[in-house]
Amino acid sequence: MKQQQWILRPLVKALCAAGITVLAGSVLASDAALLQEVEVVGATEADQARNAGDWLGRDSRAATKTTTPLNELAQSVSVVTQAQIEAQMPKTVVQALNYSAGAYSGLYGSATRYDYVALRGFADTSMANTVLDGLRLMSDAGSFSAFQVDPYFIERVDLVRGPMSVLYGNAAPGGMVALMSKKPQMERHSEVRVDVGTNNERALGFDFTGGLTETLSYRLTGMGRAADSMQDHASEERLALMPQLMWKPSADTALLLQAYLQNDPKGGYHSGTPFEGSVTEHAGRKVSREFFDGEPDNDQFDREQRMVGYQFAHRFNPTWEFRQNLRYTRSDINLEQVYQSGWSDDTHLSRGYSFSNEKLNGLAVDTRMQGVLATGPLLHDVVFGVDYQTRENEGYWGWGSVGEINAFNPIYRQHSIEDKAQSNWIREFRQLGFYLQDQVSVGAWRFTGGVRYDRARTSSLDTDTAISTDWDGSETSTRVGALYLFENGLAPYMSYSESFDPSSNTDQNGQVLRPTRGKQWEAGLKYQPNPRTLFTAAVYDLDQTNLARMVPGESYFDPVGAVNSRGLELESHFAVTENVHLMAAYTYNKMSIQNGVPNEDGNRPRQSPQQLASAWINYTPVTGARIGGGARYIGKSYADLANTLIVPDVTVFDLSASVDLGIWWGSMKGASVQINAQNLFDKDYVASCYDEKYCYFGNARSVTTSLKYAW
């Protein structure tokens, strides 16, 4: 398929969809990042500014595509604010979720190449459930083409738990991670940050924003980072730049032009060690967590990402608003890796070789309107719109064999690669969806109802044999919820929601897998006695059907069947005093496979801890100084479907401290220094296991010192 044709057809469809919606004259969305909120719709910009320095987010735009207070949402939502991101300085977006309920980011241990996160226990699409500024990142789960955004460019993260297909189309059942990028501001601000740390880490970041004219503002954010991995002979490198230009000709119209450019010349380590040798001993010994199973000259991961797009908003009157967001994405991946494939004797591991080249192009556009209207005593906040998503990923995968390696005394560059084979393919995805949502307020009641119709097609073409397989069909997804807001701050709720997730992945026979479907019931209680305190509790029952997982070392997926996830999530943000903030989270998750296979049916899937718990306390003893510390508990999980191989539980500790040097020394106004430590006591542990052959060590202790100057 020619590139010009591929881009043109989606653009034509997107613009037609936009025109249809404009003529229809109705759809809603409210986001203070572009237009100042009107009183009837949500919070003011002043409220948003106060929230920016707070550890407790008070509302979410991602959950409903409207600005809705957290204590009025009939579902479980966590917000990681800018204050928390700056204090904890996560290296990846998923590390920012370490202190949120219902999320596990240790699926592949210390690997930072992708943003893996399992929500409510579901790990099958863990690297493809991310949304940026309201549009899905067009990652291709099941391939190596998954997009990643550096947390330095992120303003906040909304963790929305449970199915979200009604508003976003294809979605994993456990929920989604919604990122909001930093936006241009009229008020001038500039900063430069330098980081140094363990594993030879060094980084330079800058962030400049301000007004150019009365109607134009800009933001230019960039960073460069390099570090060694925990494992020998592996390193990471990144260069990223995000230019933005905001045009506001009036208080009712705004156009934001955005680009995000990221190059990762080196992607760090991404392999595992057998269960015997990492969790338990093999022939009386364990493999070091620094062990590198590849070959220094045949280990490469080079990724280039390009994203360009716009966000447009226009308010027709105080209650009706039109929005359109569009983003084109492209990635180029080159992979070459030697990896272990199991023990051959007491000391040596067999090895394989894989290589890949992929080029992905994607387009996402969402067009909608928001309106507020009254029917008798009922106040309706209505959203309806149309979105279109498309992706084409073209490339090849290859395999070969390499000589074995001594896991306890490795000697490299002793073997050549043999028996190369290659498979060429094209994977495509198209989805057009129409959605309608109504949030109804009557007295203290809050009702939410939504419905969506999707038409989707996925396909996989083997270009060597010209054999193509596809899935083409339509689905309807729904969501309903009810919440009652008592005057004392208590808010019980109940909701039902569905998910729909088509895939281009294939089974052993080369057939495209059927879309997964998810259905969830959730009930909960929220309590917000004051603006700085929020307690939430949620119980849920979630079913996913047509689940499949990739077979390690192969290019196909094996059907798992249906999986049920039931659980309890507790989360709290508590302002103990003006200077002390405590946040805590607990997750209990009971999962069971339902496939009728002996030794598997009723058991727990792999990479799914049964319990997670965390607590973080942030203390500001005096103006300009801050110290914080946290503990994270990861419960036991399993390395096999028979649930006989147990990955033990573990507790790790983190620390953060910062000082505003300008408070103490006037000549250093604008300068600050910060130190962060993860896994403070250097616990040596296995974070999870994909199966018996591939287990992943958690991060060793890492310490980063950051010097920032702002003016």
Side-chain angles (χ1 to χ4, degrees):
M1 184 179 298
K2 293 183 179 180
Q3 182 67 26
Q4 294 88 341
Q5 292 176 335
W6 183 85
I7 294 175
L8 182 60
R9 287 196 300 174
L11 281 173
V12 171
K13 290 183 179 180
L15 293 175
C16 288
I20 291 171
T21 307
V22 172
L23 293 174
S26 50
V27 165
L28 162 121
S30 177
D31 186 342
L34 290 183
L35 296 180
Q36 180 178 347
E37 297 285 359
V38 292
E39 183 177 357
V40 70
V41 177
T44 64
E45 280 190 329
D47 289 333
Q48 300 298 327
R50 285 192 292 270
N51 289 352
D54 202 335
W55 281 64
L56 173 60
R58 292 177 174 83
D59 55 54
S60 174
R61 304 175 192 97
T64 60
K65 291 190 177 180
T66 69
T67 303
T68 305
L70 293 180
N71 65 338
E72 296 186 25
L73 286 169
Q75 68 184 112
S76 182
V77 180
S78 300
V79 175
V80 180
T81 65
Q82 181 66 18
Q84 182 178 338
I85 293 173
E86 290 186 350
Q88 296 178 344
M89 283 185 62
K91 295 295 190 298
T92 63
V93 165
V94 294
Q95 287 183 6
L97 303 175
N98 280 339
Y99 289 87
S100 299
Y104 182 50
S105 61
L107 295 174
Y108 293 88
S110 61
T112 59
R113 187 175 296 177
Y114 301 110
D115 283 331
Y116 296 110
V117 57
L119 302 179
R120 293 191 165 170
F122 290 96
D124 53 303
T125 54
S126 57
M127 68 176 185
N129 53 8
T130 306
V131 170
L132 173 64
D133 292 332
L135 293 175
R136 180 170 296 281
L137 294 178
M138 298 304 295
S139 300
D140 181 10
S143 76
F144 298 106
S145 297
F147 292 91
Q148 188 181 47
V149 179
D150 195 274
Y152 185 65
F153 299 82
I154 299 303
E155 184 74 29
R156 60 181 271 169
V157 182
D158 287 28
L159 176 60
V160 185
R161 291 178 281 269
M164 288 298 297
S165 285
V166 165
L167 292 178
Y168 295 93
N170 62 308
M176 73 177 190
V177 179
L179 313 179
M180 180 186 292
S181 60
K182 296 176 179 178
K183 300 295 192 302
Q185 306 293 327
M186 290 300 294
E187 183 178 353
R188 188 169 299 278
H189 173 81
S190 302
E191 74 171 46
V192 175
R193 195 181 88 182
V194 177
D195 301 339
V196 293
T198 52
N199 294 324
N200 197 29
E201 179 188 8
R202 60 273 189 207
L204 172 65
F206 59 86
D207 189 15
F208 307 135
T209 188
L212 297 172
T213 67
E214 291 184 356
T215 60
L216 286 176
S217 58
Y218 79 98
R219 191 157 195 160
L220 181 63
T221 311
M223 64 93 65
R225 179 179 178 271
D228 295 332
S229 296
M230 181 178 73
Q231 291 76 15
D232 298 330
H233 306 291
S235 58
E236 307 169 13
E237 291 182 3
R238 170 166 295 168
L239 294 171
L241 185 69
M242 189 173 191
Q244 300 180 82
L245 184 65
M246 175 85 81
W247 178 52
K248 284 189 175 182
S250 70
D252 295 323
T253 304
L255 175 65
L256 174 62
L257 304 178
Q258 295 177 297
Y260 183 74
L261 316 173
Q262 180 174 303
N263 285 2
D264 296 332
K266 296 182 179 180
Y269 183 78
H270 198 289
S271 188
T273 308
F275 184 88
E276 285 190 18
S278 56
V279 178
T280 62
E281 292 182 345
H282 175 75
R285 288 191 286 182
K286 283 189 175 182
V287 177
S288 167
R289 62 183 174 181
E290 289 82 23
F291 169 65
F292 176 71
D293 60 343
E295 286 290 331
D297 299 329
N298 297 102
D299 191 82
Q300 174 191 4
F301 180 82
D302 184 359
R303 173 175 57 196
E304 294 186 4
Q305 296 180 174
R306 302 289 183 265
M307 306 184 196
V308 292
Y310 64 81
Q311 299 180 46
F312 175 76
H314 176 71
R315 182 181 299 122
F316 297 102
N317 54 51
T319 58
W320 286 97
E321 183 176 294
F322 168 83
R323 285 183 174 271
Q324 186 178 78
N325 294 355
L326 181 146
R327 183 166 59 237
Y328 168 76
T329 57
R330 177 182 174 88
S331 74
D332 291 88
I333 301 289
N334 283 289
L335 169 72
E336 187 179 8
Q337 182 174 353
V338 173
Y339 58 93
Q340 66 81 22
S341 57
W343 293 104
S344 61
D345 56 34
D346 287 349
T347 58
H348 289 79
L349 287 164
S350 300
R351 293 191 296 176
Y353 169 73
S354 65
F355 58 96
S356 177
N357 179 274
E358 301 179 9
K359 298 183 184 299
L360 183 147
N361 293 275
L363 178 73
V365 58
D366 179 32
T367 307
R368 62 194 191 270
M369 288 188 68
Q370 172 173 322
V372 178
L373 54 92
T375 57
L378 307 180
L379 183 65
H380 302 264
D381 198 350
V382 182
V383 179
F384 64 92
V386 55
D387 63 26
Y388 179 70
Q389 304 173 52
T390 184
R391 177 184 68 234
E392 181 181 83
N393 191 10
E394 181 174 1
Y396 59 79
W397 295 329
W399 303 268
S401 60
V402 186
E404 59 189 19
I405 192 169
N406 189 319
F408 306 102
N409 184 28
I411 300 175
Y412 302 101
R413 302 182 176 93
Q414 301 294 308
H415 304 280
S416 60
I417 298 169
E418 300 176 356
D419 302 324
K420 287 187 179 181
Q422 182 172 312
S423 172
N424 299 275
W425 44 259
I426 298 176
R427 296 155 58 97
E428 294 184 334
F429 163 76
R430 305 282 188 272
Q431 182 173 5
L432 178 66
F434 303 87
Y435 59 89
L436 170 66
Q437 176 186 269
D438 188 9
Q439 293 174 268
V440 181
S441 301
V442 52
W445 284 99
R446 304 291 184 268
F447 299 99
T448 302
V451 62
R452 179 188 180 98
Y453 172 80
D454 277 304
R455 183 72 190 180
R457 181 180 184 272
T458 62
S459 66
S460 178
L461 169 65
D462 185 326
T463 56
D464 296 321
T465 63
I467 296 176
S468 177
T469 177
D470 64 6
W471 179 89
D472 192 335
S474 60
E475 292 285 346
T476 301
S477 305
T478 60
R479 177 171 73 165
V480 293
L483 177 145
Y484 189 84
L485 187 62
F486 287 95
E487 292 184 358
N488 61 3
L490 284 172
Y493 71 88
M494 179 172 286
S495 64
Y496 171 79
S497 54
E498 298 175 339
S499 70
F500 163 60
D501 193 8
S503 169
S504 297
N505 299 328
T506 57
D507 61 19
Q508 190 171 4
N509 298 318
Q511 297 298 309
V512 168
L513 300 174
R514 295 177 60 192
T516 65
R517 291 287 290 171
K519 297 182 179 181
Q520 175 189 272
W521 286 96
E522 178 177 315
L525 179 65
K526 303 183 180 186
Y527 178 54
Q528 188 166 23
N530 60 68
R532 298 188 62 197
T533 301
L534 177 64
F535 300 95
T536 64
V539 293
Y540 60 88
D541 189 333
L542 173 56
D543 289 305
Q544 183 185 28
T545 56
N546 302 328
L547 179 65
R549 299 204 76 186
M550 176 175 276
V551 178
E554 303 291 345
S555 61
Y556 62 85
F557 285 66
D558 263 349
V560 175
V563 173
N564 175 259
S565 175
R566 298 179 181 179
L568 166 69
E569 294 165 347
L570 305 174
E571 194 167 270
S572 67
H573 284 263
F574 179 51
V576 182
T577 68
E578 286 293 325
N579 300 323
V580 179
H581 183 90
L582 173 66
M583 53 189 245
Y586 172 75
T587 303
Y588 176 82
N589 174 253
K590 182 179 180 181
M591 300 189 77
S592 61
I593 300 170
Q594 300 171 350
N595 61 3
V597 177
N599 299 323
E600 293 184 11
D601 190 66
N603 290 349
R604 188 175 187 85
R606 297 162 292 196
Q607 292 186 296
S608 174
Q610 186 168 345
Q611 297 186 77
L612 298 168
S614 63
W616 181 279
I617 188 167
N618 192 68
Y619 175 48
T620 307
V622 294
T623 301
R626 180 195 54 77
I627 186 169
R632 293 179 283 123
Y633 170 78
I634 304 167
K636 72 175 183 180
S637 59
Y638 296 103
D640 63 333
L641 296 182
N643 290 178
T644 59
L645 304 180
I646 299 175
V647 181
D649 60 352
V650 65
T651 301
V652 295
F653 297 87
D654 305 319
L655 183 68
S656 172
S658 65
V659 175
D660 184 345
L661 301 178
I663 296 293
W664 307 95
W665 297 281
S667 61
M668 300 189 72
K669 181 180 179 181
S672 61
V673 63
Q674 179 169 321
I675 186 169
N676 286 79
Q678 289 191 351
N679 192 2
L680 181 64
F681 301 111
D682 200 24
K683 181 71 174 179
D684 191 341
Y685 69 101
V686 171
S688 76
C689 296
Y690 191 93
D691 64 5
E692 300 94 316
K693 289 184 179 180
Y694 297 96
C695 294
Y696 307 96
F697 288 105
N699 279 310
R701 177 174 52 223
S702 64
V703 180
T704 301
T705 301
S706 176
L707 178 63
K708 183 170 71 174
Y709 179 65
W711 68 96

